[in-house]
Amino acid sequence: MAGKVVWGPEPTKQVWGSSLGRHSPSLFLQLPSNQTLRFRGNKAEAWGAALEGGIESSVVPQDCVVGEEEEEDQRPLKELPLCLEEKRRLRFLQEQAASRLSGWRLWRVEKQRTLRHLRSQAGTVMSYVVMWKSTLRHIEGHFGTGIQSYFNFLRFLVLMNFVASLLVVGFVIAPNAAFEALHLNWTGRPNNVSANASCVHYDPSAHGLVSYFSYIMDLLSGKGFMELTYLFYGYYQNSAVDFASFSYNVPLAYLLTAFFYLLFCLIWIVQRSVYCLKHSLVSEDASLGSYSNKVFAGWDFGLMQHSAVQLKHKSIRYELRMDLEEEALRRRLAERTTRQRATLYILRGLLNLLVLSLLGGGFFCIYLATSYSQWLLGSADSPVKGQYILELLVAYLPSIVITVANLLIPIIFGVIVQLEKYPLSFEIKITLLRNVFLRLASLVVLLISLWSQITCSGDPKDSNCKDCGYSHLFPCWETSVGQEMYKLLIFDLLIMLLVMLFVEFPRKILVTYLPSCPLLKLWGQQEFMVPSNVLDLVYGQTVCWTGALFCPLLPVLNTLKYIMIFYLKKLTLYANCRPAERTFRASSSNFFFLLVLLMGLTISCVPALYSMFVLPPSKSCGPFRGEPTMWNTVSNAISELPLTAQEFLEFVGSLAFAVPLFLLLSILMFYLMALAGSYSSMVKGLKGQLRLEGQDKLFLVKQISELSQ
Amino acid sequence: MGNKQTIFTLEQLDAYQDATFFTKKEILRLFYRYRDLAPQLVPLDYTKKPNVKLPYELIGSMPELKDNPFRQRIAEVFSEDGEGNMTLDDFLDMFSVMSEMAPRDLKAYYAFKIYDFNNDDYICKSDLEKTVNKLTRKELTPEEVCLVCNKVIDEADMDNDGKLSLEDFQHMIVRAPDFLSTFHIRI
């Protein structure tokens, strides 16, 4: 039973583990730490021989005690690593024990069981409600988790936009529509600021004969008949409506809805990113492509399709080979001479300058395009009026330039990054970062150029701006901004459709029917590139957030747009794409996607907040005409609250509250950072201790086997 | 809703529901999947607990498993006799552990058993080599395989005995973020 220990001749290599493992298995098996290994099946297998008598007791390990003394809720039966027969026996024992309980304890056990049951039922019901669940599962099975993470992200965006649009419709659009339909009285509000006569004039509707084309034009650019509708800011009244016993303050509702929409999105994204972060478990030594992760968690057990399986084999092989090569490369790089290193750094510096200059050039083009477009369309005697196609082209000029820049510049980035000779993981990161910056910054440039047009570059004394406080070329500047965002949204969708129809489908057809052409073979079949597609989504969502204050229906349009994109992308995935050779790591990227989305939200909050607090609202249109700033409505509303509420809100908004709060939060943050630092050093210490304990164990077992001879 | 079926007693279904991550509906569905593999062997009445075992060849031919390089090991680990011949209990147990509701520790325990080819309760270098070869279909050179195995042992072996124990493995799985999503069979 104790196992004959044959201690052979001392091996020349002092490999403790292998020599000992061969010679004294039974000793290791008697160690308490091995008791955690559950015994499986009825037959006594290799290691069970030493513990024949202990089968009964080994089945009841420390953390699953059945008996009257154990009152805590044990781990549910299904989570125990035992075979079903054992679980049935355990269940029987548990029930017997439960039947012996009485009174309070019995009630508690019953309640816990009912609660668990209810929770599982609720989980089942929730899983039925989840949208597109079967589609996502199918995609996961055929294309892997990397591509599925994109569609998961898209589904999240659809849901977020849908709930947000419910919010907007419920508080802004539906009340307005109801009030109009019921012909309720609008109580006018006194004009606080005396306005220049020229600033109040605003009439966007077309006069005279309107041709058919102009309707299509208006639909695509948001002007004409579309301008004075619920779609844009300019339509809403600046008065309250009295009905029943209270008055519904339309401007206040408008402002607070926009504010809470952004806040709600922020909270949801932060909550989801914390959830993703916990799941991706960023530890201090988790490298992007650790070997054990690839070997043990690399095979996707859910793959069913034969071609997907072949591809998975290939991609695992490819990844392991890449990692080994990168390792070898890194060793070679470390042996570079100083001279080589210097030349490389100079080269990298120059290429980074090139990158910056490309970005600068792109941004300048966007700025020029926006200014030109606004000027051309805004002036009454512009040469393009009347020629619809030209007018449409000019209206969409900013969108066109942004899209062209976003198509061409990443290709150039791809070439540049090859020359920079970074290690592969860093290469991916820096390419992604550059693309993100390009996308979001081009939107920022568009907004800045709009701002400079509207506020005459911040100069209130400019000839255009001195009458109204903003440029008189924009009688209703919020609507103009809203129109610009509306155009960007439509154009984004249009471009996606066009690219799909004219690039992806032809590519697939050509590659399938002309397989011998060498050029086509080089180009190859389409691959579904997850990062660039995700950036497209983030860009679209940022546009929606930016325009939400000026174009309340934008979330609704965005929901519809994303639903369309889901089905279009699914179509192109199945019809045109082959699965990628390099699998995209889903887990760590989920958090990255949400981070980029959060960046987009931050960027889009700036124009909204700036317009709310600083810019003077248009005097001729919108719910804030007559107010010096949009936020004034809220101050007025607060002044109508009871005195204590007013004082409380004033205190909360004042510096006396903000500065101590800021200090407190900083202190808390430093404390948490210190705590995290101390935990990580404790973990390091424990790891070292574990290693030493292992060595102790081997030493002692060796001694015991020697002594027992 | 579930009272019309005559395959299991209510007690049996309750026991299955407690012991696996499936609902009663799913258990019945899985029973029919099991039966479809060999309708002549599997009776429609399990109330008397018949002793029916399906041979490994049938299990391994299921569409969910037939392309999986580890299907033999999975069947061996979950079968009672260790040869891959599964009773209905083993079948349900297997898919319960591989379902998406099973927690990480439970999956890690069974993953360890699957990757332990020689059943010595340690994943030694030969086990690792077999794993890597199965993953890449023997298309990596032996030196590359050896390098990869050494790297894995370097990364995961905590107590420096040159092989991975269950604790090492579970500790490493905690740091493998993809494990939960890949160690999952949909049925």
Side-chain angles (χ1 to χ4, degrees):
Chain A
M1 193 85 83
K4 241 178 98 55
V5 175
V6 178
W7 194 244
E10 199 84 55
T12 44
K13 286 193 296 185
Q14 275 296 342
V15 182
W16 289 62
S18 51
S19 57
L20 286 167
R22 249 182 284 129
H23 296 300
S24 53
S26 58
L27 253 172
F28 274 111
L29 300 169
Q30 287 173 31
L31 290 171
S33 58
N34 268 324
Q35 299 282 327
T36 58
L37 275 175
R38 301 288 181 264
F39 168 62
R40 170 126 197 130
N42 299 328
K43 229 170 33 150
E45 284 196 331
W47 79 279
L51 306 122
E52 237 161 69
I55 290 178
E56 293 294 313
S57 54
S58 75
V59 166
V60 188
Q62 311 85 294
D63 58 335
C64 178
V65 177
V66 172
E68 294 131 80
E69 55 269 36
E70 186 54 60
E71 306 298 357
E72 318 272 36
D73 195 15
Q74 316 93 332
R75 262 163 67 192
L77 205 57
K78 44 183 93 164
E79 289 185 17
L80 293 176
L82 302 167
C83 66
L84 267 181
E85 199 43 55
E86 299 297 332
K87 284 188 199 171
R88 259 195 276 254
R89 236 154 27 86
L90 249 181
R91 186 169 176 269
F92 181 65
L93 288 169
Q94 272 180 355
E95 285 186 346
Q96 277 192 331
S99 65
R100 271 178 267 143
L101 296 172
S102 59
W104 154 252
R105 294 193 182 122
L106 180 68
W107 179 84
R108 233 185 70 163
V109 165
E110 289 289 315
K111 280 288 158 285
Q112 277 164 348
R113 193 179 309 170
T114 338
L115 211 69
R116 228 182 299 146
H117 201 64
L118 274 172
R119 231 178 295 163
S120 67
Q121 297 269 39
T124 330
V125 169
M126 289 304 285
S127 67
Y128 280 130
V129 174
V130 168
M131 205 170 50
W132 288 323
K133 184 169 168 173
S134 51
T135 315
L136 285 176
R137 275 177 156 201
H138 198 252
I139 293 176
E140 189 183 349
H142 285 208
F143 293 98
T145 44
I147 291 178
Q148 190 233 17
S149 69
Y150 166 79
F151 284 94
N152 222 347
F153 186 66
L154 182 52
R155 181 177 64 175
F156 162 66
L157 285 178
V158 167
L159 273 172
M160 190 175 71
N161 277 301
F162 178 68
V163 177
S165 50
L166 282 180
L167 198 80
V168 166
V169 165
F171 285 103
V172 174
I173 300 184
N176 269 297
F179 297 156
E180 291 212 342
L182 296 173
H183 299 294
L184 289 174
N185 286 337
W186 296 83
T187 53
R189 316 192 104 238
N191 273 354
N192 296 0
V193 180
S194 59
N196 207 324
S198 62
C199 300
V200 186
H201 174 74
Y202 172 63
D203 185 14
S205 47
H207 299 291
L209 214 56
V210 181
S211 94
Y212 179 64
F213 274 141
S214 69
Y215 282 115
I216 303 186
M217 264 275 309
D218 291 341
L219 195 71
L220 288 174
S221 66
K223 288 200 186 317
F225 82 95
M226 296 270 296
E227 194 161 334
L228 218 52
T229 57
Y230 285 117
L231 187 58
F232 293 114
Y233 168 98
Y235 180 69
Y236 295 89
Q237 302 296 325
N238 74 330
S239 43
V241 172
D242 288 323
F243 76 98
S245 54
F246 80 112
S247 80
Y248 189 85
N249 194 342
V250 167
L252 189 65
Y254 190 94
L255 195 63
L256 288 181
T257 309
F259 189 69
F260 280 113
Y261 164 57
L262 291 172
L263 195 66
F264 161 76
C265 290
L266 176 72
I267 292 175
W268 196 346
I269 295 175
V270 166
Q271 183 253 331
R272 196 183 158 95
S273 49
V274 163
Y275 176 79
C276 277
L277 190 64
K278 276 198 207 154
H279 271 249
S280 68
L281 288 170
V282 180
S283 62
E284 85 269 32
D285 51 0
S287 48
L288 188 62
S290 75
Y291 289 88
S292 30
N293 188 31
K294 290 205 172 85
V295 168
F296 292 121
W299 180 260
D300 189 349
F301 280 69
L303 284 177
M304 287 209 289
Q305 224 194 18
H306 189 67
S307 50
V309 165
Q310 306 281 55
L311 212 74
K312 192 74 183 178
H313 281 298
K314 215 161 69 156
S315 74
I316 290 184
R317 203 168 45 235
Y318 180 80
E319 277 193 32
L320 285 174
R321 239 188 220 137
M322 277 288 114
D323 280 344
L324 288 174
E325 268 177 32
E326 197 179 318
E327 177 86 21
L329 190 75
R330 222 180 302 196
R331 252 181 286 137
R332 250 185 293 144
L333 291 183
E335 298 160 8
R336 267 203 205 121
T337 64
T338 335
R339 188 201 169 102
Q340 281 178 324
R341 221 173 284 195
T343 43
L344 187 69
Y345 287 158
I346 293 176
L347 182 67
R348 280 186 190 164
L350 286 173
L351 287 172
N352 274 311
L353 275 174
L354 182 65
V355 163
L356 285 171
S357 58
L358 267 176
L359 286 172
F363 295 155
F364 188 63
C365 290
I366 296 171
Y367 179 80
L368 279 180
T370 318
S371 329
Y372 184 66
S373 155
Q374 290 287 354
W375 170 76
L376 210 55
L377 291 176
S379 53
D381 56 348
S382 85
V384 281
K385 264 202 167 43
Q387 296 164 42
Y388 297 114
I389 304 295
L390 220 57
E391 216 177 315
L392 200 64
L393 221 65
V394 170
Y396 272 91
L397 199 61
S399 323
I400 295 175
V401 172
I402 288 183
T403 311
V404 165
N406 281 318
L407 282 175
L408 290 179
I409 297 188
I411 301 179
I412 307 180
F413 282 168
V415 170
I416 289 179
V417 90
Q418 301 281 3
L419 295 171
E420 281 176 317
K421 293 207 193 30
Y422 286 121
L424 198 61
S425 46
F426 190 66
E427 190 183 302
I428 298 175
K429 279 187 199 155
I430 202 157
T431 317
L432 213 58
L433 259 145
R434 282 180 182 156
N435 284 332
V436 166
F437 183 67
L438 173 68
R439 286 240 161 210
L440 295 178
S442 43
L443 193 62
V444 171
V445 169
L446 178 84
L447 290 169
I448 289 180
S449 64
L450 274 176
W451 168 83
S452 74
Q453 293 252 302
I454 290 169
T455 59
C456 314
S457 310
D459 178 14
K461 308 252 188 341
D462 189 271
S463 59
N464 279 339
C465 288
K466 62 177 193 296
D467 293 331
C468 316
Y470 50 89
S471 172
H472 75 265
L473 296 168
F474 297 94
C476 195
W477 62 264
E478 293 96 343
T479 305
S480 311
V481 176
Q483 280 166 345
E484 208 60 57
M485 297 296 127
Y486 173 76
K487 281 188 276 184
L488 281 178
L489 191 123
I490 299 233
F491 195 68
D492 197 27
L493 185 62
L494 227 63
I495 280 289
M496 217 209 72
L497 262 169
L498 290 175
V499 164
M500 222 182 82
L501 281 174
F502 294 117
V503 176
E504 296 186 6
F505 272 106
R507 183 170 173 177
K508 162 83 180 195
I509 292 173
L510 284 174
V511 171
T512 322
Y513 290 114
L514 297 171
S516 47
C517 175
L519 197 69
L520 285 176
K521 232 184 280 186
L522 199 70
W523 198 21
Q525 207 180 349
Q526 184 85 12
E527 235 182 63
F528 193 91
M529 301 298 296
V530 175
S532 55
N533 278 306
V534 167
L535 281 181
D536 282 338
L537 290 179
V538 171
Y539 170 74
Q541 185 60 53
T542 312
V543 164
C544 173
W545 278 324
T546 317
L549 182 63
F550 310 109
C551 176
L553 274 180
L554 217 53
V556 180
L557 292 173
N558 215 25
T559 315
L560 294 169
K561 173 183 165 199
Y562 278 159
I563 293 179
M564 273 174 69
I565 289 185
F566 187 92
Y567 286 110
L568 287 171
K569 284 287 173 191
K570 188 178 130 186
L571 181 68
T572 190
L573 179 71
Y574 279 104
N576 300 338
C577 298
R578 61 178 164 90
E581 276 199 352
R582 271 200 77 101
T583 47
F584 190 72
R585 288 255 156 248
S587 49
S588 48
S589 13
N590 273 334
F591 178 67
F592 179 71
F593 295 163
L594 289 166
L595 205 65
V596 178
L597 196 63
L598 214 56
M599 253 197 277
L601 180 62
T602 320
I603 288 179
S604 54
C605 274
V606 172
L609 292 174
Y610 188 68
S611 321
M612 269 194 230
F613 286 97
V614 178
L615 287 180
S618 312
K619 296 186 175 49
S620 54
C621 63
F624 301 106
R625 60 193 103 163
E627 309 277 352
T629 61
M630 289 192 200
W631 190 252
N632 228 13
T633 329
V634 177
S635 328
N636 288 343
I638 289 180
S639 61
E640 289 167 20
L641 287 174
L643 202 59
T644 38
Q646 266 186 58
E647 286 183 355
F648 175 69
L649 285 172
E650 262 184 45
F651 170 67
V652 165
S654 69
L655 271 176
F657 178 75
V659 170
L661 184 70
F662 174 72
L663 285 175
L664 195 67
L665 287 175
S666 315
I667 291 173
L668 192 67
M669 191 174 74
F670 281 127
Y671 167 71
L672 287 173
M673 271 166 45
L675 201 65
S678 70
Y679 276 144
S680 75
S681 55
M682 189 165 83
V683 164
K684 276 203 194 89
L686 284 172
K687 273 194 191 155
Q689 205 175 338
L690 204 62
R691 211 160 285 154
L692 288 174
E693 296 289 323
Q695 288 175 350
D696 282 350
K697 182 169 83 176
L698 290 172
F699 176 77
L700 287 172
V701 169
K702 182 176 169 220
Q703 293 289 63
I704 293 176
S705 352
E706 278 184 359
L707 287 172
S708 63
Q709 280 187 334
Chain B
M1 193 173 85
N3 291 349
K4 292 185 226 126
Q5 57 85 24
T6 49
I7 309 169
F8 300 108
T9 64
L10 223 58
E11 178 63 37
Q12 279 176 320
L13 263 187
D14 272 335
Y16 277 135
Q17 201 172 9
D18 277 341
T20 64
F21 290 96
F22 296 123
T23 61
K24 289 193 172 105
K25 233 185 183 174
E26 287 168 342
I27 291 170
L28 287 170
R29 186 167 56 88
L30 281 168
F31 169 76
Y32 284 117
R33 283 299 301 270
Y34 183 72
R35 185 157 190 277
D36 285 339
L37 294 173
Q40 67 280 20
L41 287 175
V42 178
L44 270 172
D45 185 359
Y46 255 75
T47 50
K48 309 277 181 292
K49 294 194 239 269
N51 186 14
V52 175
K53 237 187 242 202
L54 289 186
Y56 163 68
E57 290 70 34
L58 288 174
I59 305 284
S61 66
M62 287 180 73
E64 286 85 358
L65 288 176
K66 71 171 163 48
D67 282 321
N68 195 321
F70 299 106
R71 60 188 177 278
Q72 179 139 25
R73 280 303 299 164
I74 298 175
E76 283 172 11
V77 163
F78 284 99
S79 64
E80 221 175 272
D81 57 8
E83 305 274 314
N85 307 316
M86 302 181 92
T87 65
L88 179 65
D89 280 358
D90 299 333
F91 188 80
L92 285 173
D93 206 12
M94 173 168 77
F95 285 110
S96 166
V97 170
M98 304 296 283
S99 74
E100 57 191 345
M101 284 132 342
R104 185 194 297 263
D105 289 332
L106 184 62
K107 288 193 188 218
Y109 171 72
Y110 281 107
F112 180 78
K113 298 214 98 153
I114 288 174
Y115 292 128
D116 181 14
F117 283 79
N118 50 15
N119 277 326
D120 63 352
D121 298 321
Y122 285 97
I123 296 182
C124 56
K125 191 135 180 256
S126 67
D127 292 332
L128 272 176
E129 282 176 3
K130 287 208 194 88
T131 307
V132 174
N133 278 327
K134 277 213 192 287
L135 277 176
T136 60
R137 274 144 114 240
K138 294 208 164 83
E139 290 186 30
L140 283 182
T141 66
E143 298 87 45
E144 288 173 330
V145 172
C146 194
L147 269 172
V148 171
C149 294
N150 284 335
K151 286 239 167 280
V152 172
I153 292 187
D154 281 340
E155 279 178 3
D157 191 12
M158 284 293 124
D159 47 14
N160 261 357
D161 54 0
K163 49 193 179 177
L164 304 182
S165 65
L166 179 62
E167 282 72 39
D168 293 336
F169 188 78
Q170 279 183 328
H171 181 79
M172 183 266 302
I173 286 293
V174 162
R175 289 180 302 159
D178 296 325
F179 179 70
L180 266 181
S181 54
T182 55
F183 199 74
H184 161 216
I185 295 183
R186 249 168 278 103
I187 183 157

